[in-house]
Amino acid sequence: MPRAVREQQMLDAAVRTFGSRGYMAASMDEIAELAGVSKPLVYLYLNSKEDLFTACIRREARALTEAVRAGARPGLPADRQLWSGLAAFFTHTARHPDGWAVLHLQARTHGEVFAAEVAAMRAEIVAFVTQLILAAAREAHRDPDLREAEVAGLAEALVGAAESLADWANVTPGVTARQAATTLMNFAWAGLGDLMAGRHWTPPADGGDADVPEPQSEVTAPVR
Amino acid sequence: MPRAVREQQMLDAAVRTFGSRGYMAASMDEIAELAGVSKPLVYLYLNSKEDLFTACIRREARALTEAVRAGARPGLPADRQLWSGLAAFFTHTARHPDGWAVLHLQARTHGEVFAAEVAAMRAEIVAFVTQLILAAAREAHRDPDLREAEVAGLAEALVGAAESLADWANVTPGVTARQAATTLMNFAWAGLGDLMAGRHWTPPADGGDADVPEPQSEVTAPVR
């Protein structure tokens, strides 16, 4: 069997083991057995548990990013674009729950090196979503002056909401990928939709937040 | 000086050091010096670097949870409630950037024990937000049958979006707490608002997502 095929089998077994057991509890013995190879061969090909985990993160990050890119349809109306992108995202995370657990739970919990791998993928997705929102807003011609910073904030909000919902959907019985995507559309679309139509939500004139009690000392940054 | 006061000084110094340097790079020498005490006294009071970090997580989690609870105003209309809650959240995270970094970056990056502390706080906030949304939806009398699972999903989306925006606001020059809160209101309110008025976003009849290309094998869960 060619090395590349063997390596993919090892990575399949490793993603499943890291995702279901957690990084610390996963053993190389178990991964080798699940892959149907000897443990020395895993070390020969992937070098160490750390390197194997890094290879898993990179493969799963690439697969997720490609699924989201493939789901986005630049030609569609903005709501359909958002829907197809979200549907692709939640379909992928539901089909690959161990891959999602590796990316969103395990990689971020076991040290800064692994966390940095995932942060790079996340930054790429946020940049991609930012461009989609910007293009849709400009296409709409209703709010061509939507500020870049505002769009970046909207993309952060959308990505954060999607990550949180994917975690939730994967551990909540009976929640399908389609339901998770529909929930996020209900949450986000009319909001983004109103925004692109130039209908902003406006904070109350009195601030409304001025008398929020703010306890304790330790002011480490200027109040903004 | 009473022990309780000394301990708070040590925790202030520890939060600042862990938040700005990261858990691994932070040294007990530096924390003791910043607190103006001897290193043996830090160990005497807080026992170990691990225990000191846990104490920081608990204190910052309690402060954040209290700030969000204090910001919610059950008597206000739903949009004003959401606004005041979000304003309280982003004001707190902007005023305590090191505390937020401890909770949302450091605690989740350095092992399952610390991550579990933060997960407990997050679950409490999600439950609180779920109840607020449920109460507002029932108050509105327009969608009294809003499913509990749908509401739980909306709360997950809102909390995930807020976490993501707080990270972003704290590292993006010129983004104030008020702007972050306004961005999230623009993103979320009209969405939640439409939902409470019974105006759901409906997926396209043809599915629209059915032909999303879904690469590779490794199907570890039934496709949902």
Side-chain angles (χ1 to χ4, degrees):
Chain A
M1 193 175 287
R3 176 173 176 148
V5 177
R6 277 254 190 265
E7 275 194 10
Q8 287 307 309
Q9 288 175 340
M10 292 178 194
L11 289 176
D12 286 348
V15 167
R16 191 168 307 189
T17 309
F18 287 135
S20 56
R21 285 217 191 287
Y23 176 67
M24 299 303 275
S27 78
M28 295 295 268
D29 285 303
E30 188 180 2
I31 291 169
E33 192 185 328
L34 190 59
V37 300
S38 69
K39 193 161 77 164
L41 195 65
V42 179
Y43 281 105
L44 180 68
Y45 280 10
L46 278 318
N47 196 44
S48 66
K49 187 175 177 184
E50 289 73 22
D51 285 359
L52 176 58
F53 191 51
T54 301
C56 290
I57 294 171
R58 289 187 182 159
R59 190 184 77 166
E60 297 305 312
R62 194 166 51 244
L64 178 60
T65 308
E66 280 170 12
V68 171
R69 284 187 186 277
R73 312 281 177 77
L76 294 179
D79 69 324
R80 294 292 299 267
Q81 271 188 48
L82 182 58
W83 166 252
S84 62
L86 291 178
F89 172 77
F90 287 109
T91 300
H92 187 89
T93 55
R95 279 184 185 167
H96 308 285
D98 291 328
W100 177 246
V102 162
L103 289 177
H104 199 239
L105 298 177
Q106 295 304 321
R108 300 196 310 179
T109 310
H110 297 289
E112 283 155 14
V113 174
F114 301 136
E117 291 280 344
V118 174
M121 172 202 72
R122 189 184 198 274
E124 189 185 330
I125 289 184
V126 168
F128 176 65
V129 171
T130 301
Q131 289 312 308
L132 285 186
I133 296 178
L134 207 53
R138 287 187 178 145
E139 177 87 9
H141 284 306
R142 288 167 182 144
D143 196 2
D145 301 326
L146 198 63
R147 294 186 314 117
E148 181 96 27
E150 176 82 1
V151 173
L154 293 171
E156 289 283 351
L158 183 62
V159 170
E163 291 171 329
S164 178
L165 273 171
D167 286 348
W168 172 77
N170 277 5
V171 301
T172 306
V175 177
T176 65
R178 188 179 174 83
Q179 282 166 352
T182 305
T183 294
L184 190 44
M185 283 300 289
N186 270 319
F187 179 71
W189 171 251
L192 286 172
D194 273 9
L195 201 58
M196 287 179 192
R199 291 189 297 273
H200 290 253
W201 185 91
T202 319
D206 66 359
D209 53 328
D211 55 344
V212 171
E214 178 57 35
Q216 86 205 50
S217 49
E218 190 222 339
V219 174
T220 52
V223 175
R224 301 187 289 183
Chain B
M1 195 175 288
R3 175 170 175 152
V5 177
R6 276 254 189 266
E7 276 194 12
Q8 287 307 310
Q9 288 176 338
M10 292 176 194
L11 289 175
D12 286 348
V15 167
R16 190 167 309 188
T17 309
F18 287 135
S20 56
R21 285 217 190 286
Y23 176 66
M24 299 303 274
S27 78
M28 295 294 268
D29 285 304
E30 187 181 3
I31 291 168
E33 191 183 330
L34 190 58
V37 299
S38 70
K39 192 161 74 163
L41 195 65
V42 179
Y43 280 105
L44 180 68
Y45 280 9
L46 278 317
N47 196 44
S48 67
K49 188 176 176 183
E50 289 73 21
D51 285 358
L52 175 59
F53 191 49
T54 301
C56 289
I57 294 170
R58 290 186 183 162
R59 190 184 77 166
E60 296 306 311
R62 193 165 51 243
L64 178 60
T65 309
E66 279 170 11
V68 171
R69 284 187 184 278
R73 312 283 176 76
L76 293 179
D79 68 323
R80 294 291 298 267
Q81 271 188 48
L82 181 58
W83 166 251
S84 62
L86 292 178
F89 173 77
F90 287 109
T91 299
H92 187 87
T93 56
R95 281 186 186 166
H96 307 286
D98 290 328
W100 177 246
V102 162
L103 289 178
H104 199 241
L105 298 177
Q106 296 303 320
R108 299 196 311 181
T109 310
H110 298 288
E112 284 157 13
V113 174
F114 302 136
E117 291 280 344
V118 174
M121 172 202 75
R122 190 183 197 273
E124 189 186 328
I125 289 183
V126 169
F128 177 66
V129 171
T130 301
Q131 288 313 309
L132 285 186
I133 296 177
L134 207 53
R138 290 188 174 145
E139 177 88 9
H141 285 304
R142 289 168 182 143
D143 196 1
D145 302 325
L146 197 63
R147 293 184 316 115
E148 181 95 29
E150 176 82 4
V151 173
L154 293 171
E156 289 283 350
L158 182 62
V159 170
E163 290 171 330
S164 179
L165 273 172
D167 285 349
W168 172 76
N170 277 5
V171 300
T172 307
V175 176
T176 65
R178 189 180 173 83
Q179 282 165 353
T182 305
T183 294
L184 191 43
M185 282 300 290
N186 270 320
F187 179 71
W189 171 250
L192 286 172
D194 272 8
L195 202 58
M196 286 180 195
R199 291 190 296 274
H200 290 252
W201 185 91
T202 320
D206 66 358
D209 53 328
D211 54 342
V212 171
E214 178 57 32
Q216 88 205 52
S217 51
E218 190 221 340
V219 174
T220 52
V223 174
R224 302 187 290 181

